[in-house]
């Protein structure tokens, strides 16, 4: 919902008050006119609140500024209404006009309510800003937990991949190789898919996920997802070397956060 400037709302309230009391005030009531125009401090406070909205400030900073503007508005309102009420009372009392006194009293009550509504609006906006700050803090904590969870999982997947690479290098046979793939690559690919929800990665995790795809493929039995029984140690060593190179890239991706 768009912000209706506090100052604009006050101008409308003052205009209603002036219209309601115009015919009940003496034309030469200089004290009343001076009191009506004594809203400089009030307008200043309201302008300060409006400035927060114009600047687009949010969170704790906005809440702090709005609370300050609200306090200044309360202080200015008390002084303004007291001076205005005194001037009006003296004016109508001096003329002995009971009808004017009753009308001015009603107008003063309406004006006081308009100002109370304004102060409540500033307070509500400050509360919303505080809620924004609290939510931002909650979101940041949640994001930090998600990051730690992801790092633990992908580091675990990388550790299993490193152990698998070492195992195949020590015994480069089709049986040893096929025990590990495609599960080993799919484990890493799953964590890289989850990384898309995180910020601050040095590279697109999909880049490495695509590189892992040949080892983590969903169909077929051919290399490098699995190798036939007649694959030589050299062929298997070459495949595991390529896989290890992709894993090194993933290590850099994780370490770059």
């Amino acid at each position: 919902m768009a912000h209706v400037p506090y100052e604009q709302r006050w101008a409308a309230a003052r205009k209603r008050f002036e219209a309601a009391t115009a015919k009940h005030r003496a034309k030469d009531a200089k004290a009343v006119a001076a009191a009506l125009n004594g809203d400089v401090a009030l307008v200043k406070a309201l302008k300060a609140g409006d400035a927060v909205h114009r600047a687009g400030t949010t969170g704790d900073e906005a809440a702090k500024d709005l609370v300050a503007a609200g306090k200044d508005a309360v202080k200015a309102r008390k002084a303004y209404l007291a001076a205005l009420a005194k001037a009006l009372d003296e004016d109508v009392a001096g003329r002995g006009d009971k009808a004017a006194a009753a009308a001015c009293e009603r107008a003063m009550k309406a004006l006081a309510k308009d100002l109370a509504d304004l102060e409540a609006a500033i307070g509500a906006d400050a509360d919303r800003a505080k809620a924004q700050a609290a939510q931002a803090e909650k979101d940041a904590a949640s994001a930090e937990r998600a990051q730690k969870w992801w790092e633990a999982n992908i580091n675990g997947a990388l550790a299993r991949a490193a152990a698998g690479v070492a195992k195949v290098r020590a015994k480069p046979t089709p049986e040893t190789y096929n025990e590990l793939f495609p599960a080993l690559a799919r484990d890493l690919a799953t964590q890289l898919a989850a990384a898309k929800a995180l910020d601050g990665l040095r590279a697109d995790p999909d880049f490495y996920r695509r590189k892992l795809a040949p080892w983590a493929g969903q169909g077929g039995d051919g290399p490098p997802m699995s190798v036939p029984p007649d694959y030589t140690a050299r062929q298997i060593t070459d495949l595991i070397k390529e896989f290890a190179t992709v894993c090194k890239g993933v290590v850099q991706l994780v370490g770059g956060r």
Side-chain angles (χ1 to χ4, degrees):
M1 186 175 178
H3 169 65
V4 179
Y6 307 129
E7 184 185 6
Q8 178 181 321
R9 291 170 65 175
W10 162 240
R14 176 175 161 169
K15 187 175 181 180
R16 288 193 295 272
F17 175 82
E18 290 178 343
T21 60
K23 67 180 181 180
H24 301 292
R25 289 183 275 120
K27 293 182 179 180
D28 60 347
K30 294 181 180 179
V32 175
L36 273 171
N37 293 324
D39 60 351
V40 176
L42 177 61
V43 171
K44 182 180 179 181
L46 299 177
K47 282 183 175 180
D50 287 330
V52 177
H53 291 278
R54 285 197 304 273
T57 311
T58 59
D60 284 333
E61 183 180 355
K64 178 182 176 182
D65 291 341
L66 285 169
V67 167
K71 287 181 178 178
D72 289 343
V74 169
K75 182 179 179 180
R77 179 259 300 169
K78 289 179 178 179
Y80 180 77
L81 289 182
L84 184 58
K86 182 174 183 294
L88 280 172
D89 286 346
E90 289 177 352
D91 174 55
V92 295
R95 290 182 286 116
D97 190 337
K98 293 183 178 181
C104 288
E105 184 178 357
R106 287 193 299 272
M108 282 296 298
K109 287 180 179 179
L111 186 65
K113 183 180 183 303
D114 285 335
L115 282 170
D117 290 344
L118 255 179
E119 290 165 12
I122 297 173
D125 288 342
D127 288 342
R128 276 191 289 273
K130 290 176 185 176
Q132 285 177 343
Q135 186 61 50
E137 186 176 344
K138 183 179 178 181
D139 291 345
S142 178
E144 185 177 356
R145 286 194 299 270
Q147 175 187 328
K148 289 180 179 178
W149 175 85
W150 176 78
E151 287 180 351
N153 284 338
I154 199 165
N155 283 327
L158 284 167
R160 290 187 291 275
V165 168
K167 184 176 181 180
V168 173
R169 282 175 171 166
K171 189 179 180 181
T173 65
E175 293 79 14
T176 305
Y177 185 93
N178 290 337
E179 284 178 7
L180 301 174
F181 294 100
L184 204 64
R186 288 177 182 171
D187 191 8
L188 272 174
T190 298
Q191 298 309 320
L192 288 171
K196 294 191 72 173
L198 302 175
D199 296 323
L201 294 174
R202 293 179 65 184
D204 182 358
D206 275 346
F207 173 79
Y208 293 101
R209 196 152 64 101
R210 287 191 294 269
K211 283 186 172 292
L212 284 170
W215 286 273
Q218 298 299 312
D221 298 321
M225 187 175 72
S226 63
V227 299
D230 61 351
Y231 242 50
T232 66
R234 176 61 182 272
Q235 289 174 303
I236 292 172
T237 299
D238 287 344
L239 287 179
I240 206 68
K241 181 180 179 181
E242 290 180 44
F243 177 73
T245 299
V246 178
C247 290
K248 286 181 181 178
V250 178
V251 169
Q252 292 177 356
L253 177 76
V254 178
R257 298 200 86 252

